[in-house]
Amino acid sequence: MTVASHLSHLAERAVAAARDRELSIVTAESCTAGRLATLLSDAPGAAEHLHGGFVTYTKANKTKSLGVSAALLARKGAVCREVAVAMAEGALARSPAQLAVAITGVAGPDPDEDGNPVGLICIAVARHGGEPLHLERCYGAIGRDAVCERAMADALTQLIGVLGQR
Protein backbone atom coordinates (compact mmCIF):
# COMPACT_ATOMS: atom_id res chain seq x y z
CA MET A 1 0.00 0.00 0.00
CA THR A 2 1.42 3.40 -0.91
CA VAL A 3 1.66 6.21 1.63
CA ALA A 4 -1.07 8.14 -0.20
CA SER A 5 -3.46 5.17 -0.23
CA HIS A 6 -2.71 4.46 3.45
CA LEU A 7 -3.53 8.08 4.36
CA SER A 8 -6.69 7.99 2.24
CA HIS A 9 -7.76 4.78 3.96
CA LEU A 10 -7.23 6.32 7.41
CA ALA A 11 -9.19 9.43 6.40
CA GLU A 12 -12.05 7.26 5.11
CA ARG A 13 -12.10 5.34 8.40
CA ALA A 14 -12.18 8.59 10.40
CA VAL A 15 -15.06 10.05 8.40
CA ALA A 16 -16.96 6.72 8.53
CA ALA A 17 -16.49 6.60 12.32
CA ALA A 18 -17.75 10.19 12.60
CA ARG A 19 -20.76 9.28 10.45
CA ASP A 20 -21.51 6.19 12.56
CA ARG A 21 -21.53 8.36 15.70
CA GLU A 22 -23.28 11.32 14.06
CA LEU A 23 -20.35 13.63 14.87
CA SER A 24 -18.40 16.17 12.90
CA ILE A 25 -14.73 17.11 12.66
CA VAL A 26 -12.67 20.28 12.33
CA THR A 27 -8.90 20.50 11.88
CA ALA A 28 -6.30 22.97 13.15
CA GLU A 29 -3.01 22.66 11.31
CA SER A 30 0.35 24.29 11.34
CA CYS A 31 3.16 22.36 9.63
CA THR A 32 0.76 20.27 7.51
CA ALA A 33 -0.79 23.50 6.19
CA GLY A 34 -4.26 22.12 5.43
CA ARG A 35 -3.22 18.76 4.04
CA LEU A 36 -5.09 16.87 6.78
CA ALA A 37 -8.33 18.72 6.02
CA THR A 38 -7.80 17.98 2.32
CA LEU A 39 -7.37 14.26 3.04
CA LEU A 40 -10.54 14.22 5.13
CA SER A 41 -12.47 16.21 2.52
CA ASP A 42 -11.73 13.56 -0.12
CA ALA A 43 -13.33 10.79 1.98
CA PRO A 44 -16.90 9.69 1.24
CA GLY A 45 -19.31 11.43 3.62
CA ALA A 46 -17.01 14.37 4.29
CA ALA A 47 -19.62 16.89 3.20
CA GLU A 48 -21.76 15.92 6.20
CA HIS A 49 -19.00 15.29 8.76
CA LEU A 50 -16.15 17.71 8.09
CA HIS A 51 -16.68 21.36 8.95
CA GLY A 52 -13.33 22.42 7.52
CA GLY A 53 -10.08 23.51 8.99
CA PHE A 54 -7.86 26.26 10.28
CA VAL A 55 -4.38 26.69 8.83
CA THR A 56 -2.39 28.57 11.45
CA TYR A 57 1.18 28.47 10.27
CA THR A 58 2.45 31.36 12.39
CA LYS A 59 2.26 32.04 16.10
CA ALA A 60 0.37 35.27 15.37
CA ASN A 61 -2.29 33.35 13.44
CA LYS A 62 -2.56 30.69 16.15
CA THR A 63 -3.44 33.53 18.52
CA LYS A 64 -5.72 35.46 16.14
CA SER A 65 -7.60 32.53 14.60
CA LEU A 66 -7.65 29.94 17.40
CA GLY A 67 -7.21 32.00 20.56
CA VAL A 68 -3.93 30.34 21.55
CA SER A 69 -2.41 32.51 24.26
CA ALA A 70 0.44 34.70 23.04
CA ALA A 71 1.99 34.31 26.49
CA LEU A 72 1.88 30.51 26.14
CA LEU A 73 3.51 30.71 22.72
CA ALA A 74 6.21 33.05 24.06
CA ARG A 75 6.85 30.82 27.06
CA LYS A 76 6.67 27.34 25.49
CA GLY A 77 7.05 27.91 21.73
CA ALA A 78 4.66 26.66 19.08
CA VAL A 79 5.55 22.97 19.28
CA CYS A 80 4.43 21.51 22.59
CA ARG A 81 1.54 19.65 24.17
CA GLU A 82 -0.07 22.78 25.54
CA VAL A 83 -0.16 24.54 22.17
CA ALA A 84 -1.48 21.48 20.33
CA VAL A 85 -4.28 21.14 22.89
CA ALA A 86 -5.02 24.89 22.76
CA MET A 87 -5.22 24.70 18.96
CA ALA A 88 -7.66 21.78 19.08
CA GLU A 89 -9.78 23.43 21.77
CA GLY A 90 -9.71 26.75 19.90
CA ALA A 91 -10.89 25.09 16.69
CA LEU A 92 -13.62 23.30 18.59
CA ALA A 93 -14.80 26.56 20.16
CA ARG A 94 -14.84 28.34 16.79
CA SER A 95 -16.75 25.76 14.76
CA PRO A 96 -19.91 23.70 15.06
CA ALA A 97 -17.87 20.45 15.12
CA GLN A 98 -17.86 18.09 18.08
CA LEU A 99 -14.28 16.88 17.50
CA ALA A 100 -11.10 18.75 16.61
CA VAL A 101 -7.72 17.41 15.61
CA ALA A 102 -4.64 19.64 15.69
CA ILE A 103 -1.09 19.23 14.40
CA THR A 104 1.82 21.55 15.16
CA GLY A 105 5.44 20.79 14.50
CA VAL A 106 8.64 21.27 12.57
CA ALA A 107 8.56 19.63 9.14
CA GLY A 108 11.90 21.11 8.11
CA PRO A 109 14.21 21.55 6.44
CA ASP A 110 15.50 23.64 9.36
CA PRO A 111 14.72 23.77 13.10
CA ASP A 112 12.10 26.35 14.07
CA GLU A 113 12.71 29.76 15.63
CA ASP A 114 12.43 28.23 19.12
CA GLY A 115 15.15 25.66 18.42
CA ASN A 116 12.81 22.68 18.11
CA PRO A 117 14.35 19.95 15.96
CA VAL A 118 13.13 18.93 12.54
CA GLY A 119 10.63 16.11 12.87
CA LEU A 120 9.19 17.13 16.27
CA ILE A 121 5.39 16.98 16.04
CA CYS A 122 2.62 17.48 18.60
CA ILE A 123 -0.92 16.28 17.92
CA ALA A 124 -4.07 16.81 19.96
CA VAL A 125 -7.65 15.63 19.64
CA ALA A 126 -10.31 17.49 21.59
CA ARG A 127 -14.00 16.75 21.96
CA HIS A 128 -16.85 18.33 23.79
CA GLY A 129 -17.21 16.82 27.23
CA GLY A 130 -13.92 14.93 27.22
CA GLU A 131 -10.29 15.31 28.13
CA PRO A 132 -8.09 16.17 25.16
CA LEU A 133 -5.74 13.50 23.89
CA HIS A 134 -2.13 14.43 23.12
CA LEU A 135 0.62 12.68 21.22
CA GLU A 136 4.21 13.82 20.70
CA ARG A 137 6.50 12.28 18.11
CA CYS A 138 9.98 13.00 16.84
CA TYR A 139 10.37 11.47 13.40
CA GLY A 140 13.78 13.02 12.78
CA ALA A 141 15.00 14.77 9.67
CA ILE A 142 13.41 12.33 7.22
CA GLY A 143 12.25 14.99 4.75
CA ARG A 144 9.45 17.52 4.88
CA ASP A 145 6.87 15.40 3.06
CA ALA A 146 7.66 12.29 5.12
CA VAL A 147 7.32 14.23 8.39
CA CYS A 148 3.95 15.61 7.32
CA GLU A 149 2.73 12.22 6.10
CA ARG A 150 3.65 10.53 9.38
CA ALA A 151 2.07 13.35 11.36
CA MET A 152 -1.17 13.04 9.40
CA ALA A 153 -1.20 9.24 9.81
CA ASP A 154 -0.70 9.57 13.56
CA ALA A 155 -3.33 12.33 13.81
CA LEU A 156 -5.89 10.27 11.90
CA THR A 157 -5.12 7.19 14.02
CA GLN A 158 -5.65 9.22 17.20
CA LEU A 159 -8.89 10.68 15.80
CA ILE A 160 -10.18 7.21 14.92
CA GLY A 161 -9.31 6.05 18.44
CA VAL A 162 -11.21 8.91 20.06
CA LEU A 163 -14.20 8.29 17.78
CA GLY A 164 -14.14 4.65 18.90
CA GLN A 165 -14.50 5.74 22.54
CA ARG A 166 -17.81 7.48 22.05
Side-chain angles (χ1 to χ4, degrees):
M1 179 180 285
T2 67
V3 171
S5 62
H6 176 65
L7 289 171
S8 293
H9 175 73
L10 288 171
E12 289 172 9
R13 285 182 53 204
V15 171
R19 181 192 60 237
D20 291 347
R21 287 153 188 80
E22 298 180 358
L23 298 172
S24 58
I25 303 163
V26 65
T27 66
E29 302 177 67
S30 183
C31 60
T32 51
R35 290 171 62 183
L36 181 60
T38 299
L39 270 173
L40 288 164
S41 73
D42 288 340
E48 294 83 29
H49 299 285
L50 175 66
H51 279 288
F54 295 86
V55 176
T56 58
Y57 210 66
T58 65
K59 290 178 183 177
N61 200 30
K62 286 173 180 62
T63 298
K64 181 79 170 175
S65 296
L66 296 174
V68 177
S69 162
L72 171 63
L73 289 162
R75 187 174 70 254
K76 300 284 283 186
V79 185
C80 65
R81 174 197 184 283
E82 294 88 347
V83 170
V85 168
M87 288 172 63
E89 289 176 343
L92 202 55
R94 288 162 177 79
S95 82
Q98 295 87 24
L99 286 162
V101 57
I103 301 174
T104 185
V106 185
D110 300 313
D112 71 2
E113 64 191 43
D114 300 314
N116 289 306
V118 174
L120 178 63
I121 301 292
C122 292
I123 297 164
V125 179
R127 60 183 175 179
H128 291 298
E131 285 297 312
L133 175 92
H134 169 260
L135 178 69
E136 182 176 310
R137 293 278 189 257
C138 193
Y139 307 119
I142 57 175
R144 186 172 181 77
D145 284 341
V147 168
C148 290
E149 288 162 352
R150 287 188 183 186
M152 291 185 294
D154 281 340
L156 288 166
T157 300
Q158 295 305 307
L159 181 61
I160 292 163
V162 169
L163 282 161
Q165 295 173 3
R166 293 186 61 94

